[in-house]
Amino acid sequence: MSAENSDRSSAVTTIYIDGAWRAATSGQEFDVLDPADGSVLGTASDGAAADARQAVDAATAAFATWSRTTAYERAAHLERAHALMLERAEDLALLMTKEQGKPLKAARNEVRYAADFLGWYAEEAKRVYGATIPSSRADHRFMTMRQPVGVVAAITPWNYPISMITRKVAPAIAAGCTIVLKPAEQTPLCAVAVFQVLHDAGVPAGVVNLVTTSEPGAVGDTLLDSPAVRKLTFTGSTEVGMALNAKAARTVKRVSLELGGHAPFLVFGDADPRRAAKGLGLVKFLNTGQACISPNRIFVQRELVDDFLDVLVERVAAMKAGSGLDKDVTIGPLIDAAAMAKMRRQVANAVEHGAKVLTGGERLTDPHLTGGQFFAPTVLTGVTPAMDVYYEETFGPIVPVIAFDDEDEVIAMANDTAYGLAAYVYTGNLSRAFRVTEQLRFGIVGINDINPTSAAAPFGGTKHSGLGREGGPQGIEEYLDTKLVGISL
Ligand code: NAP
């Protein structure tokens, strides 16, 4: 075998275009790291503008036929993908824990959540209904048709590396769209595993395409500048989402944005402090705080603060950090050194402005943790608006606690943010639960509930947290245009 051939046969092929796996056109590759110990887990093809263009061409060609399949045919593909993902659930969860770092139990939950989107939109594909509209003329009729928007560009983050993909791909292909997806550079291997599921489920060539890359700008710009791409769906930071939104406007694309959050968690004096503290401990440290709906500002009515903190600090101090593959680990690593630097800065800035660290507050230095970015789960009290942690998305295991005195005051404090994704309210008073929920300017509110998410329910934010909804009937609307038809009889 010639040197050229042997090079080609050993090339990494994580780009999926027109139904086939291939290497980057440039031949470039990049390493994928295990965040728990910094070791190299694998390699991905480093796609660039040329690969993105080929993917758009494949998706454009496939749209002509896929958009004309019946909803029943599209549903059958999604049902097969749903079954395959569940069959492979354990392998997918193990891969996710290694590549992204979350504890295995949380990875298993994410795979089930991811599969739910495939199953749910297999059914919803069959419920895309138009309408008939009364006309003012006796010899005239109106009707509407729902049609797929076209080729979709999707960009996803690393923190939920499998479910953020199915949350977009499932409704898009259920609606009859074709898609080109660029995953986060930290988690391309999870994306490859999802696309292998879609391939093995028989999704036709060109309908779903994947471009892995360490150069998001070049691939993103190619997708956004292409007039063939009619829709951008993005999940990631507000900063990047705003920039992409501006670029998408140049070709007037439909846009959905799932962006950052800074969730308030309100605990009223009539709530059970133990239950509230337990709920907070569970939801806050999910994925080491690296979740867009993670509670970041904990407002506790003054008379409950001591009871709440006693339970919370005891639970937090007992958490075990380590590789997500180790038994009983509840705190995985942060994704990278930049995340560690942000945690240190937020804590130092809070302490400088008068906050007290009740537990944690620093990098964990146990010998088995030094290969990864492990920050101790941290509880801060005495937090004020003068501190960075009050207004800036944390995206890590820091719990800032703020005392409040009355309902109007805490609603104003909770709404005092540019973000509007999730909020949580703990109260034993039903009237208060409704009053407060109606005044919170957030897209999602959990009332005595830490898990207000499901494939069947609309997920999304207001203000700088984004545009549009994913999940539920609203999730497929994002991929449909309405065509009005007038008929003279
Ligand atoms: P990010 O830095 O904005 O990255 C998100 C995606 O955008 C990645 O695939 C990234 O690629 C890509 N990207 C970055 N710059 C780009 C550019 N110029 N052109 C095209 N693509 C570009 O966010 P992240 O750190 O991965 O994720 C954390 C953020 O996501 C947090 O703010 C979190 O709240 C938010 N989030 C929101 C939701 C939600 O549903 N609302 C869910 C999960 C996460 P690279 O990886 O190659 O940089």
Side-chain angles (χ1 to χ4, degrees):
M1 195 185 280
S2 72
E4 193 192 343
N5 279 343
S6 71
D7 278 356
R8 192 172 296 138
S9 64
S10 66
V12 170
T13 53
T14 63
I15 291 178
Y16 182 75
I17 296 176
D18 211 11
W21 291 103
R22 54 169 91 173
T25 308
S26 66
Q28 299 290 309
E29 298 168 357
F30 63 100
D31 286 341
V32 183
L33 305 183
D34 177 341
D37 60 13
S39 63
V40 175
L41 190 65
T43 311
S45 313
D46 205 355
D51 304 283
R53 268 194 298 275
Q54 289 165 23
V56 171
D57 289 347
T60 305
F63 183 74
T65 44
W66 183 249
S67 60
R68 298 175 69 184
T69 54
T70 66
Y72 286 79
E73 289 171 74
R74 298 195 295 274
H77 286 101
L78 284 163
E79 279 162 16
R80 278 195 296 275
H82 176 239
L84 269 179
M85 184 167 276
L86 292 177
E87 250 172 53
R88 296 178 191 176
E90 192 59 17
D91 288 347
L92 290 167
L94 279 166
L95 172 63
M96 192 192 308
T97 293
K98 287 184 196 151
E99 191 180 35
Q100 191 268 329
K102 71 182 56 156
L104 191 53
K105 187 175 162 205
R108 289 183 179 130
N109 287 342
E110 183 182 339
V111 174
R112 273 194 296 275
Y113 178 55
D116 280 351
F117 288 100
L118 299 167
W120 203 84
Y121 282 107
E123 296 168 4
E124 194 64 4
K126 303 168 200 161
R127 291 191 281 264
V128 172
Y129 303 138
T132 57
I133 300 164
S135 170
S136 59
R137 283 170 33 205
D139 62 349
H140 190 252
R141 303 287 185 270
F142 282 122
M143 62 178 280
T144 58
M145 290 178 183
R146 313 305 314 286
Q147 296 193 308
V149 297
V151 175
V152 174
I155 299 180
T156 52
W158 50 266
N159 64 338
Y160 286 86
I162 292 190
S163 58
M164 294 302 97
I165 293 179
T166 56
R167 202 164 79 168
K168 297 180 185 311
V169 171
I173 67 175
C177 295
T178 57
I179 192 161
V180 178
L181 187 133
K182 190 213 82 62
E185 66 191 90
Q186 294 93 338
T187 54
L189 304 182
C190 281
V192 167
V194 174
F195 276 68
Q196 190 64 51
V197 164
L198 296 165
H199 176 85
D200 295 344
V203 174
V207 173
V208 294
N209 304 274
L210 174 71
V211 182
T212 54
T213 180
S214 70
E215 293 292 337
V219 170
D221 286 355
T222 304
L223 298 176
L224 290 171
D225 288 343
S226 167
V229 173
R230 295 313 317 145
K231 157 100 190 171
L232 165 69
T233 172
F234 171 80
T235 299
S237 62
T238 295
E239 187 190 1
V240 172
M242 283 178 169
L244 300 184
N245 192 25
K247 287 180 184 167
R250 298 199 296 239
T251 41
V252 198
K253 297 189 199 313
R254 292 271 298 270
V255 174
S256 320
L257 303 171
E258 296 285 353
L259 308 179
H262 200 41
F265 190 100
L266 281 53
V267 183
F268 285 95
D270 53 26
D272 171 355
R274 299 190 71 82
R275 191 167 134 76
K278 180 179 174 195
L280 176 72
L282 289 171
V283 67
K284 172 66 206 181
F285 298 103
L286 260 186
N287 213 8
T288 315
Q290 301 170 116
C292 51
I293 59 169
S294 193
N296 279 349
R297 298 170 294 143
I298 320 307
F299 298 105
V300 184
Q301 200 147 12
R302 206 169 297 278
E303 64 265 29
L304 226 63
V305 170
D306 289 344
D307 288 348
F308 177 84
L309 284 175
D310 284 349
V311 180
L312 180 68
V313 171
E314 194 187 329
R315 291 184 73 93
V316 171
M319 286 180 153
K320 188 175 158 198
S323 158
L325 297 177
D326 294 346
K327 203 167 165 288
D328 300 330
V329 158
T330 45
I331 291 286
L334 292 165
I335 193 70
D336 55 24
M340 173 62 73
K342 184 176 180 187
M343 294 310 108
R344 290 177 133 168
R345 172 176 60 73
Q346 282 202 347
V347 171
N349 171 275
V351 169
E352 202 178 296
H353 288 85
K356 240 174 94 181
V357 179
L358 296 192
T359 182
E362 52 203 9
R363 184 177 186 149
L364 292 168
T365 51
D366 313 51
H368 70 293
L369 299 179
T370 48
Q373 307 287 334
F374 289 91
F375 193 79
T378 298
V379 178
L380 300 175
T381 54
V383 170
T384 71
M387 303 170 188
D388 290 348
V389 77
Y390 195 92
Y391 288 113
E392 186 182 66
E393 183 181 28
T394 308
F395 229 58
I398 300 176
V399 175
V401 177
I402 303 141
F404 72 89
D405 292 305
D406 69 50
E407 192 176 301
D408 288 343
E409 177 198 18
V410 76
I411 291 168
M413 288 158 101
N415 285 334
D416 180 20
T417 170
Y419 295 104
L421 188 56
Y424 303 84
V425 181
Y426 271 72
T427 174
N429 178 327
L430 184 64
S431 309
R432 167 173 277 153
F434 270 87
R435 249 186 347 254
V436 174
T437 298
E438 286 168 6
Q439 291 181 77
L440 287 172
R441 295 202 299 275
F442 294 81
I444 301 165
V445 179
I447 301 175
N448 300 322
D449 180 31
I450 53 165
N451 191 17
T453 58
S454 156
F459 183 106
T462 61
K463 303 197 288 185
H464 288 191
S465 289
L467 299 171
R469 294 293 179 269
E470 290 189 324
Q474 293 87 345
I476 200 166
E477 290 294 322
E478 303 284 339
Y479 300 95
L480 292 166
D481 280 330
T482 298
K483 180 176 282 176
L484 174 67
V485 183
I487 309 154
S488 281
L489 301 183

